[in-house]
Amino acid sequence: MVRLMVNAPAAGSDESAVDAFLQGDRPQEHLTQGEPSLRHAPGPYFGNYGGRWMPESLIAALDELEDTFEKAKADPEFTAQIADLNKNYSGRPSLLTEAKRFAEHAGGVRVFLKREDLNHTGSHKINNVLGQALLAKRMGKTRVIAETGAGQHGVASATAAALLGLECVVYMGAEDCRRQSLNVARMELLGATVIPVTSGSQTLKDAINEALRDWVANVGNTHYLLGTAAGAHPFPAMVRYFHEVIGEEARAQILDQTGRLPDAVCACIGGGSNAIGIFHGFLDDPSVKIYGFEAGGEGVETGRHAATITLGKPGVLHGARSYLMQDDDGQTIESHSISAGLDYPGVGPEHSYLADIGRVSYEPITDSEAMEAFRLLCRTEGIIPAIESAHALAGAMKVGQRLAAEVAAAGGAAGEISEKIVLVNLSGRGDKDVATAAEWFDLLDKDSPEAEIAKEGEQL
Amino acid sequence: MSTTHDGAQDTTKPAAQLNDAQHASKSAAAIDRARAQGRAALIGYLPAGYPSVEATIAAGIALAENGADLIEIGIPYSDPVMDGQVIQAATTEALANGFHVRQVFDVVRGITSKTDAAVLVMTYWNPVVRMGVDEFSRRLAEAGGAGLITPDLIPDEAAEWMAASDRYGLDRVFLVAPSSSPERMKRTVEASRGFVYAVSIMGVTGARTSVSSAAKDVVAAAHAAGAERVCVGLGVSNAGHVREIAEYADGVIVGTALVAAIRDGGVDAVASLTKDLSTGLTREEA
């Protein structure tokens, strides 16, 4: 590990601490009081974002959840339960895999993949659902409800509910149910009830609306197991807490494997839960540049995208103030992305804050760019990524190429390029996306039943 | 806000009423007129632009002429989490027909210029944020509006709206619910002006066969917390419900039933339903 502490005259003096921070070498445990840390932001506000823009009827439930969560965090029994489930049920720690052949397409820098795709249920989502389902049990709730777009969070919620003996109801846009009938079947196999939502645009945001209506009416026995780091306080800080394990593991693993921190960390952003999980480990490491890649859909200039931070304006939706895709009247605009998991017109409030203060750069990745990265990872590493994660991979290719160009511009040798390190959160596996990808790459026999399914956008 | 309260003023009066006096709350005045007649006030809800802006104005006037004391005009919104299917369908149709938020001021002006009913706007918060809280408030006041009912804005997040409503003399009607803690009840009552909106049931808007017994408890809690005027909404759909609630509340709010009426029978149906609802207002032991 490269540490720049050689000339620190008096460890702990203000000057040396500031210097160390500016030099990008400040281990978390050396933080002293009064220094700004971006980690563990408690909410309800992240700068101007977050809060509780919610009906009064639900405030008592949010208070109860916040109280239960705060007590649980301080309870060794709870943290031990989480640690045990992460290890012995989800399969954590997830691997950190160097992608050497893929890296050739990222400017020649070193690329490491945080393998959340190897978790039980195939994505990072399991981290959050296990934590929230345990909190539901602590609150004495017997029923959990969840929203889902493609079905990933619905499947994860149904999984946690089955494991812990909770009733589970999943709201899913009728349009999404039709396109994702196999994921509906997965949830039903796990014992959940899936309710198609026919209101509004019949997609993810309307599924959240319907889940909130259910919650208002059944809050006595029901916990709303929100799937992303958005919504009213305490959800953004709480969902992040359950995903912080991603960044903690990744930071330790990259130090172990390379002896230093990465130059850049990349993740995809829908609501932003996988991203905030991995970012959190590096927020206080100034040498690490952090990138969030939003769904650019068919191109941000087409209007058919989900690039909320890139093009949205601050507003309130689903309980939080954050960037939001909205028209001049404040009506929510429908988002578009080949990736159902990123197809959401809002974003978690902590991301809005990190964007405003410049700690994280948010950029759009188009469907085409994501699918090219998807193809490359399949062919170079033997890993089929979720299309969501392919957005992070496409972004990592750009970041790697930029880092290489910077080294070249500074007159650096090729060897310096290969010392650069980019860390990518591979948030999920792509088994669910096989039909979509096969259709995209025109791999299906025109008359096959699979081609019919793929036209509908089915994600197996 | 004036800082020169008369020291001799009745100190048992809650802050909400002092605010009312200062701003000559239109909602409070309308409720007080009904009270002087020995009855509860009737408050009717209509979504703006359903089925058209003109029809909403005509229906609003019909409401006022047939017994409604206050009128709530809802702004159609893309994500109405507190609304049931009937109101969702109406507001979705209004949006599909091209309704714009600024047209709500035309509706308010159209009704206030023809009637003396207090006209409030009920809105989810984002359309107000988008226009700008101050700009929205100014235009609402200019249109003769009484204030705002805010189903997804709690006092905790309302600093900007508190200032704007003071600046333009608008009522701010917050909601209280069966789940509200005593502390929250007190804070919400203190933040409100005009009246407090008591949610009768844990749920969303929509007609129900009976009024929840929770409603009476919420009203009692709001009164105990110092509210001068408490009106009950959610699930109130016929004269029987109105009669039951008028026994203990200062006003009765009807929404979904009126929306179904305008959907099925137009302005005439709104007029006749309002007339029928108003028969339930008079308290038996006034």
Side-chain angles (χ1 to χ4, degrees), chain A residues 45 51-57 59-60 199 205 209 213 216-217 219 313 315-316 324 326-332, chain B residues 76-83 88 95 100-101 126-127 130 151-154 157 175 177 179-180 184 202-203:
Chain A
Y45 302 103
R52 278 185 176 171
W53 309 84
M54 271 287 184
E56 170 65 23
S57 298
I59 301 298
S199 59
K205 80 173 179 69
N209 293 341
R213 292 181 189 117
V216 171
V219 69
K313 294 188 169 64
V316 293
L324 174 62
Q326 55 180 321
D327 68 14
D328 289 343
D329 270 0
Q331 310 286 356
T332 310
Chain B
Y77 176 54
S78 52
D79 297 277
V81 297
M82 277 294 283
D83 283 311
Q88 280 182 49
L95 288 172
H100 280 289
V101 169
N126 199 51
R130 189 76 192 90
D152 64 351
L153 181 71
I154 55 174
E157 304 287 5
L175 280 61
S179 59
S180 299
R184 290 199 60 80
M202 294 299 286

Side-chain angles (χ1 to χ4, degrees), chain A residues 117-128:
Chain A
D117 61 315
L118 297 177
N119 297 339
H120 179 47
T121 74
S123 79
H124 69 290
K125 293 288 187 191
I126 194 75
N127 305 329
N128 170 47

Side-chain angles (χ1 to χ4, degrees), chain A residues 384-408:
Chain A
I384 301 177
I387 295 177
E388 289 81 6
S389 317
H391 287 69
L393 292 163
M397 289 167 64
K398 290 187 179 185
V399 168
Q401 287 157 12
R402 276 182 226 157
L403 284 170
E406 283 169 20
V407 171

Side-chain angles (χ1 to χ4, degrees), chain B residues 39-42 200-201 208-217 219-220 223 230-254 276-285:
Chain B
R39 62 177 178 86
L42 179 64
S200 68
I201 192 170
R208 290 176 174 81
T209 49
S210 63
V211 176
S212 159
S213 59
K216 193 170 184 176
D217 297 336
V219 172
H223 278 147
V230 185
C231 303
V232 172
L234 254 59
V236 186
S237 57
N238 60 45
H241 295 164
V242 172
R243 187 167 297 114
E244 190 182 331
I245 294 167
E247 288 298 315
Y248 57 82
D250 305 289
V252 187
I253 305 166
V254 180
D276 181 51
L277 292 168
S278 67
T279 63
L281 293 171
T282 305
R283 300 186 180 104
E284 282 164 17
E285 309 273 331

Side-chain angles (χ1 to χ4, degrees), chain B residues 163-222:
Chain B
S165 53
D166 282 346
R167 202 172 303 131
Y168 297 105
L170 294 168
D171 292 333
R172 39 182 191 248
V173 179
F174 293 106
L175 280 61
V176 293
S179 59
S180 299
S181 65
E183 297 75 31
R184 290 199 60 80
M185 184 69 80
K186 188 160 193 311
R187 190 193 310 183
T188 306
V189 164
E190 283 170 1
S192 298
R193 179 162 58 224
F195 65 96
V196 174
Y197 190 128
V199 170
S200 68
I201 192 170
M202 294 299 286
V204 297
T205 62
R208 290 176 174 81
T209 49
S210 63
V211 176
S212 159
S213 59
K216 193 170 184 176
D217 297 336
V218 182
V219 172

